Amino acid sequence: MHRFTLAAASLVVTTSAFAADALPPLAGEAAGAPHVSGYGEAYLGGVRFVGDDYTTRVGGGAARVNIAFAQRWNLQGDVSYDRIWGHYDPLDATRGAIHGFYRDPDRFAAGIFGAYTTFGFGDGVNVYNHAVGPEAQLYLGNLTLYGQASVGQLAVNDFRGDQWGVRAVARYFVHQNLRLDAEFAFNRTDYNDAYEDLVGAAVQAMYRFDETPWAVFGRYEFERRKFETSTEDTRANKFVIGLRASFGSSTLFDEDRNGATMDTYRPASVISTK
């Protein structure tokens, strides 16, 4: 328990708040008119910190709504909740984000986002994070490339740590309702006399049942955190399965190119931020 408390404390003071050959039917579908759409999803799974003898439970969910206005301009709002519990004391995080962007569904989307996160860490400890930055997506037939950067700050009571990060995501549509994702993220927290780096990676597969709003997904995430002044690091592995319900979109591909397509980093542990 003592070891996990130290690991969780380190997580708190870590990072902010990763085939151009198109199939004609998919490329043509992206030309639909903008509309209000979104989805809600929930997941359950487990996370293990390398070196620990226990896998603890994780769960959470998210909801995202996109509103198109003035033809190709879009405003998207996100809320999410993540929790870790079981062998260790419960920890949770609540996040909110807003994205404003311009989108040509056949070519690209580009805009800015802002995110705010609060953490339930214990009595007398107030922890939150905020981050802002640019984001853009490039549409290459069945492939979506997504880049994001941010600057922000982590606050733990009276402590303030400056943060910055970058993230890259590739989404490939095997067909209109089968999506494969790969993600990479890097974040740095500056503690004035030292810094801590976080490297995160994830892979995900999602399938939406034809002519229904329901989709299922499985996801694996890895995180590695290391202080500049330490030779040791902390690593976590997370596996989850989940269920998504969408509205205002006909397929996963339609959702990606015309709907709630933006998101923010999904951590392997609830205390990671951004």
Side-chain angles (χ1 to χ4, degrees), residues 90-237:
L91 299 170
D92 58 25
T94 303
R95 297 176 174 84
I98 189 166
H99 311 257
F101 58 97
Y102 175 89
R103 173 165 54 197
D104 177 342
D106 291 316
R107 299 172 58 201
F108 72 94
I112 59 173
F113 80 98
Y116 182 83
T117 308
T118 62
F119 303 98
F121 188 68
D123 295 338
V125 182
N126 298 312
V127 185
Y128 65 87
N129 161 269
H130 61 81
V132 297
E135 57 186 348
Q137 295 182 347
L138 181 63
Y139 305 138
L140 302 171
N142 292 19
L143 180 66
T144 296
L145 299 178
Y146 183 7
Q148 197 173 59
S150 69
V151 294
Q153 192 173 78
L154 176 70
V156 183
N157 290 340
D158 293 331
F159 169 82
R160 300 290 185 273
D162 292 329
Q163 300 178 314
W164 64 270
V166 292
R167 176 174 176 251
V169 179
R171 302 171 182 163
Y172 182 75
F173 293 86
V174 179
H175 58 71
Q176 60 185 3
N177 273 324
L178 178 57
R179 190 181 107 183
L180 304 178
D181 296 18
E183 178 176 349
F184 175 82
F186 175 84
N187 296 280
R188 172 168 288 183
T189 304
D190 187 351
Y191 301 118
N192 296 322
D193 57 347
Y195 58 82
E196 184 181 22
D197 290 340
L198 179 146
V199 175
V203 291
Q204 176 176 283
M206 181 178 295
Y207 176 76
R208 179 167 168 173
F209 300 99
D210 292 344
E211 300 181 0
T212 79
W214 300 101
V216 293
F217 62 89
R219 183 175 177 89
Y220 164 72
E221 301 171 12
F222 170 80
E223 276 185 353
R224 175 181 180 270
R225 294 171 293 104
K226 186 178 184 301
F227 278 97
E228 172 196 14
T229 55
S230 174
T231 58
E232 298 183 352
D233 59 17
T234 302
R235 288 167 286 168
N237 294 282

Side-chain angles (χ1 to χ4, degrees), residues 16-40:
S16 72
F18 286 92
D21 294 331
L23 297 179
L26 296 191
E29 183 180 340
H35 51 274
V36 177
S37 64
Y39 61 85

